[in-house]
Amino acid sequence: MMRRLRKITPFQVALVTSFTALAAFMSLPIIFILNHAFKPQNELFLFPPRFLVQNPTLRNLESLLLHASNATVPFTRYLFNSMIVVVLTLVCVILVSTMAGYVLAKNKFHFKQLVLSLITLSLMFAPETVGIPRYLIISGLGINNTYFGHILPALASPVAVFMLIGFISQIPGEVLEAAKIDGASQVGIFTRIVLPLSMPAVATISIFTFQGVWGDVETSTLFMQEETMRTMAFYVNSLLSGLQNSVAGQNMAAAAALLIFVPNLIIFLLFQRKVLETMVHSGIK
Amino acid sequence: MGSITFNHVYKHYKGEARPAVNDFHLSIEEGEFLVLVGPSGCGKSTTLRMLAGLEEISEGDLYIDEKYVNYLSPKDRDIAMVFQNYALYPNLSVYENIALGLKLRKTAKHDIELRVNRVAKILEISHLLERKPNQLSGGQKQRVALGRAIAREPQVFLMDEPLSNLDAKLRAQTRAEIIKLQSELKRTTVYVTHDQVEAMTMGTRIVVMKDGVIQQVAPPRALYEQPANLFVAGFIGSPQMNFIQGSVTREDGYFYFVNKRLKLPVPEHHYPNFNRDRNGISFIMGVRPEHVFLKADTGTEEEGWIRCEVEMTEITGADSYVYVRLGEQTVIVRTDPDRFYRKDDKLLVSFSMNKVHFFDEQSGDSVALRGDAK
């Protein structure tokens, strides 16, 4: 018998339509940012405002770069700092969280329950409440004005650890035991089996860690007194707040918003398939 | 190479009064195919895991090849294990799955390739080497798991219910292959199963366990023909052995097994077991379905034949099993499938008394073994 297309029910039509509408609505800010960055000055102040750009121009980006090159610290320095910090933080967070996740999910040891409760407890604190202790720790360690000062506060990520504990505990114990019998050490089991199998979860934590670190201004504001150690997010942020009441600066603000947004989008697009896997495959079979 | 000795091994779990494995004391010879069998929770898997080094031994000593291994990590025991759920590494290809153990032992690369290919050929999985485990069927996965164990050429193979996840046909086929493989490789194999058919067909020696305690250790035939106690008698054999309650009395130098409905002569070879003061003590007579016979009721009294009624009939193909009522007792009888009996048919039943077993009702032990021991 020939295979026929499944019949489409009205319910499916309604479902697809409503989800498409929802997705379109959710993408409005993205479309707006993209368009806004290329609007000429007169369109930026148009009333009623227009959503889409009429005469796209690169003037905004140009004037942003012009403004940046006039600053005491070159724009590229901020960019470089941001990249270094983001990459190092990502690597460190992934390493620390996966290791912690493996140990907590698959090994028995004393005070394990205590450690788990402490991690839960740490989820309860708003970032603002730990600002002062963080400052004391950073200055106590003497790592102000170093990259470590950027990385250390982001290193302990209870959300990431939680996600990995959940993910790793779904790896069947027998697989790890088989590796043990095959002659793998704990490190071998971790690098050869656990880490590759946790990739979907690692992708997920990469996205939110990236977003957090890329957009973070706290470490630059509080722990970095030297302008040369501050990040791009800080630069854009101070630029924007400096331009709040300036009519002429709105074009730069629009371009800066795009610059800060684009890397987030790229990272998400890179990892999204893995993230979906995390959600779809709640178990490893 | 490959002998194993358990010296009074115990496993206690925290918060449990009864040990999971209780005084496991056994020597396994080199090249032997030993099967641990018992109902779930009897401690067979725990025993295997202690042997593998995945569980700590609470008490007692374990020797592999006369080497004390209680505190040796699994990788240093020179063993390989096959798990029920295959436990293949999902992120590695079939080739890498088989090769990993060798790679970790720093085997030369060309040697690894040689061994993997040889093993793949034996198990007929050469065409699957590039695939990932999730692209394999259950049977293929189990072959890869076997291959992973074989490739390392360990002294001892451990198998934890490796066939339980396969369908019936594949199970029989893989069972035959494992038997063949073991006889070719001549490696000591310890095999855990809850399936008595698997135990009987595969093992050169079988250990029956219950509640952490060894019930009997014997080759398959001996286990079937001389069960040490009621548990073993009931566990081995399908359908189950019939158990009939009664007592043994002595009349004019002859022994009889009697209850309300029966009076059966005890065969002479059992006499020494009853010679002591056991008059009137309760016993259980065990008789396998193939040692019970049926015939039509002719209305006349015959020596050794007892009246009964048919309860139901089970036809398995080669045999049929007739359930007959004997007073309050139901007795299963194996018969020719050509004969057909209807419910409530009146028949005569007789027991092949040379083949029956007697068990002490209180301890459950076979009187034959107890007689020998004393």
Side-chain angles (χ1 to χ4, degrees):
Chain A
M1 229 179 91
M2 261 176 64
R3 275 182 65 189
R4 297 219 180 135
L5 282 176
R6 258 188 306 156
K7 216 179 155 196
I8 299 165
T9 63
F11 175 72
Q12 281 171 320
V13 174
L15 205 67
V16 170
T17 321
S18 58
F19 276 133
T20 313
L22 193 66
F25 182 72
M26 298 295 258
S27 63
L28 285 182
I30 299 172
I31 296 168
F32 183 75
I33 290 177
L34 283 174
N35 279 284
H36 209 57
F38 297 105
K39 282 178 187 167
Q41 189 83 353
N42 60 341
E43 273 184 56
L44 284 170
F45 288 97
L46 208 63
F47 192 85
R50 278 232 181 92
F51 208 79
L52 299 175
V53 57
Q54 301 279 290
N55 304 301
T57 167
L58 286 174
R59 279 288 297 279
N60 300 344
L61 215 59
E62 210 173 295
S63 55
L64 175 68
L65 291 176
L66 210 66
H67 179 88
S69 62
N70 285 335
T72 40
V73 177
F75 177 72
T76 44
R77 175 73 201 194
Y78 292 112
L79 192 64
F80 175 76
N81 285 348
S82 270
M83 289 208 181
I84 289 273
V85 168
V86 159
V87 170
L88 285 180
T89 311
L90 263 186
V91 171
C92 294
V93 165
I94 290 169
L95 210 64
V96 169
S97 309
T98 46
M99 281 178 163
Y102 170 52
V103 170
L104 288 165
K106 286 292 176 194
N107 290 276
K108 282 184 250 171
F109 53 90
H110 291 293
F111 308 119
K112 176 173 163 178
Q113 218 46 52
L114 182 74
V115 174
L116 281 173
S117 334
L118 283 177
I119 295 174
T120 321
L121 197 70
S122 66
L123 277 171
M124 288 168 30
F125 290 99
E128 289 77 12
T129 57
V130 292
I132 294 171
R134 264 189 188 164
Y135 179 80
L136 293 176
I137 292 169
I138 299 282
S139 64
L141 288 171
I143 51 173
N144 312 54
N145 298 319
T146 66
Y147 288 120
F148 294 116
H150 282 294
I151 296 164
L152 195 67
L155 205 55
S157 173
V159 182
V161 173
F162 253 107
M163 195 177 253
L164 279 157
I165 290 176
F167 203 81
I168 293 172
S169 56
Q170 283 164 6
I171 300 175
E174 286 90 346
V175 172
L176 307 182
E177 285 173 351
K180 225 182 261 177
I181 292 174
D182 258 348
S185 59
Q186 282 286 9
V187 176
I189 293 173
F190 176 73
T191 53
R192 285 173 194 273
I193 312 294
V194 176
L195 203 54
L197 289 178
S198 325
M199 269 349 241
V202 168
T204 314
I205 65 167
S206 300
I207 290 178
F208 71 72
T209 308
F210 180 90
Q211 287 181 336
V213 176
W214 182 254
D216 180 57
V217 292
E218 189 201 324
T219 53
S220 296
T221 324
L222 298 180
F223 313 140
M224 304 298 139
Q225 285 77 41
E226 282 172 28
E227 195 63 30
T228 49
M229 287 307 294
R230 290 177 165 162
T231 58
M232 173 123 138
F234 176 83
Y235 172 71
V236 171
N237 206 48
S238 52
L239 181 76
L240 292 184
S241 56
L243 293 175
Q244 250 164 15
N245 298 314
S246 138
V247 172
Q250 286 312 307
N251 60 340
M252 282 192 270
L258 181 70
L259 274 187
I260 267 291
F261 166 72
V262 163
N264 275 328
L265 184 70
I266 292 171
I267 289 286
F268 181 76
L269 291 177
L270 274 179
F271 288 144
Q272 64 151 347
R273 183 178 290 180
K274 284 280 178 193
V275 175
L276 284 179
E277 261 176 51
T278 330
M279 296 169 186
V280 176
H281 291 269
S282 43
I284 301 167
K285 263 233 148 169
Chain B
M1 262 191 47
S3 66
I4 300 165
T5 308
F6 286 91
N7 184 25
H8 299 288
V9 169
Y10 288 79
K11 176 73 192 180
H12 301 284
Y13 282 113
K14 239 189 207 166
E16 278 176 43
R18 194 171 58 79
V21 175
N22 195 342
D23 197 14
F24 196 95
H25 188 69
L26 183 75
S27 288
I28 304 168
E29 275 165 41
E30 183 192 329
E32 197 171 352
F33 196 131
L34 187 89
V35 177
L36 297 177
V37 68
S40 46
C42 72
K44 55 192 192 302
S45 280
T46 311
T47 308
L48 193 77
R49 291 170 58 81
M50 284 196 286
L51 179 53
L54 299 170
E55 295 275 352
E56 266 177 49
I57 294 168
S58 312
E59 240 181 276
D61 315 303
L62 175 63
Y63 300 88
I64 297 178
D65 236 3
E66 284 160 28
K67 191 165 130 200
Y68 181 71
V69 296
N70 271 38
Y71 301 107
L72 216 58
S73 72
K75 66 180 160 112
D76 299 321
R77 295 190 182 196
D78 204 7
I79 50 165
M81 188 156 167
V82 180
F83 294 86
Q84 179 180 352
N85 61 3
Y86 324 123
L88 299 177
Y89 312 123
N91 52 317
L92 303 180
S93 71
V94 168
Y95 181 92
E96 291 164 323
N97 260 284
I98 299 173
L100 185 68
L102 298 166
K103 218 186 274 175
L104 290 168
R105 273 149 223 271
K106 308 260 183 292
T107 314
K109 213 169 178 185
H110 64 271
D111 199 21
I112 293 180
E113 210 177 310
L114 217 69
R115 286 215 227 172
V116 173
N117 286 329
R118 195 174 60 214
V119 165
K121 211 170 155 192
I122 295 173
L123 292 167
E124 293 165 26
I125 48 173
S126 299
H127 58 294
L128 304 172
L129 287 175
E130 300 307 317
R131 293 207 198 161
K132 288 276 172 71
N134 61 7
Q135 297 165 298
L136 303 177
S137 69
Q140 290 171 332
K141 279 184 197 167
Q142 199 51 284
R143 277 159 187 276
V144 176
L146 279 172
R148 187 169 65 180
I150 296 166
R152 282 226 331 266
E153 299 177 12
Q155 285 186 38
V156 180
F157 287 120
L158 308 178
M159 304 198 184
D160 192 358
E161 312 211 7
L163 306 181
S164 303
N165 282 7
L166 304 178
D167 62 59
K169 197 180 160 198
L170 208 54
R171 198 181 306 167
Q173 199 182 324
T174 316
R175 189 170 72 201
E177 270 169 43
I178 292 179
I179 297 170
K180 196 174 131 219
L181 217 56
Q182 202 271 342
S183 68
E184 278 168 15
L185 298 170
K186 295 190 179 60
R187 293 293 155 99
T188 313
T189 304
V190 182
Y191 187 104
V192 163
T193 179
H194 62 265
D195 182 352
Q196 52 104 6
V197 178
E198 248 169 57
M200 293 293 283
T201 49
M202 300 181 90
T204 49
R205 213 151 52 114
I206 299 172
V207 179
V208 183
M209 290 180 77
K210 182 198 169 199
D211 298 336
V213 182
I214 296 182
Q215 302 293 314
Q216 189 174 6
V217 184
R221 271 222 83 79
L223 202 65
Y224 190 78
E225 287 169 0
Q226 293 140 27
N229 57 33
L230 276 174
F231 176 78
V232 176
F235 191 78
I236 302 292
S238 169
Q240 229 194 322
M241 186 185 272
N242 297 299
F243 295 122
I244 301 166
Q245 261 188 333
S247 57
V248 173
T249 52
R250 188 174 186 168
E251 283 174 29
D252 313 327
Y254 296 102
F255 284 92
Y256 295 94
F257 178 80
V258 291
N259 68 11
K260 273 185 217 157
R261 278 184 76 101
L262 304 167
K263 184 176 178 188
L264 300 164
V266 173
E268 268 182 45
H269 67 264
H270 272 302
Y271 280 15
N273 305 323
F274 296 110
N275 264 337
R276 285 171 218 95
D277 48 358
R278 284 183 169 175
N279 251 340
I281 296 181
S282 291
F283 287 98
I284 288 176
M285 184 178 92
V287 55
R288 296 210 180 269
E290 62 265 35
H291 300 140
V292 190
F293 306 100
L294 290 175
K295 71 172 187 181
D297 189 356
T298 50
T300 52
E301 288 291 326
E302 280 180 77
E303 172 88 36
W305 290 89
I306 306 127
R307 292 221 159 73
C308 65
E309 281 171 17
V310 175
E311 236 167 35
M312 59 174 250
T313 311
E314 248 177 27
I315 299 164
T316 61
D319 302 299
S320 71
Y321 294 95
V322 184
Y323 291 64
V324 296
R325 211 165 35 243
L326 207 76
E328 281 148 28
Q329 187 101 38
T330 300
V331 173
I332 308 170
V333 188
R334 191 181 80 173
T335 63
D336 214 309
D338 301 340
R339 243 28 97 73
F340 188 76
Y341 299 103
R342 246 178 279 273
K343 187 171 159 40
D344 296 331
D345 275 358
K346 304 265 187 287
L347 296 171
L348 292 176
V349 65
S350 105
F351 302 100
S352 168
M353 290 306 285
N354 275 327
K355 303 276 192 181
V356 300
H357 308 269
F358 292 98
F359 303 95
D360 187 321
E361 198 192 358
Q362 287 203 317
S363 65
D365 291 337
S366 165
V367 292
L369 290 193
R370 240 167 67 159
D372 288 348
K374 279 187 180 168

